[in-house]
Amino acid sequence: MSLHPHRWWWRTATMSAIGALVATLFTGGTLFGSGARSEADAGPRPCPAGETVPVLESPHISQAEAASVRYSSQPPTSGPHFPFSLAPGAYDRPIPDGLTLHALEQGQVALLYAPDTPVEVVAQMRRLVHANPRSLLLAPHPSVRGGVVLTAWGCLQRQPTYDAAAAADFVGEVIRRREPR
């Protein structure tokens, strides 16, 4: 039994498309390109505010490898991370560092707070997230013992108490610096 030429073409095209989708899932890429630029490709830049942290080698790792990774700062601002993204937004539970770092690599900012932060302060931080829905992650982080920490790729700003104006300035500077030069 021979295949009709059109059926053969459709089966080949379908199998190719499925193969491309599977490869995309395993490499963490996007099939058609997201237009996202990696901060890792931009090279070292001074931090807009706070501390500039040396950028570590930042390969993609598996979840199993994550337990053995040691970062140069807590919370981390670069280093080995997962090959898939996390949607920006507010989260009520800690986010694994491997997910946060992938977001930072793509130019996002993480606003991390101590787990015992009062709910009214978290509500204030959520307003900043709503003002920057494509650029900001908000979550508690176990290494933050008090106050808040803003992180971007190679940048860390500690605030003993949440300062909405300083946080907005930090986020704005990070967003501006990721725009093409």
Side-chain angles (χ1 to χ4, degrees), residues 64-158:
E65 294 170 297
S68 64
V69 173
R70 299 294 170 249
Y71 297 105
S72 60
S73 67
Q74 276 302 324
T77 62
S78 67
H81 58 277
F82 301 147
F84 39 87
S85 295
L86 179 70
Y91 294 85
D92 295 327
R93 294 195 172 118
I95 300 169
D97 289 335
L99 284 175
T100 302
L101 285 171
H102 192 93
L104 299 185
E105 182 187 38
Q106 299 304 315
Q108 295 178 28
V109 175
L111 176 52
L112 306 169
Y113 57 91
D116 62 350
T117 300
V119 293
E120 54 275 0
V121 175
V122 174
Q124 291 175 19
M125 292 185 281
R126 284 179 179 270
R127 286 195 278 280
L128 184 60
V129 173
H130 292 303
N132 298 278
R134 295 185 317 179
S135 303
L136 196 56
L137 292 172
L138 172 67
H141 194 279
S143 76
V144 179
R145 302 284 183 229
V148 300
V149 178
L150 289 113
T151 61
W153 194 253
C155 296
L156 186 131
Q157 183 186 70
R158 296 183 190 279

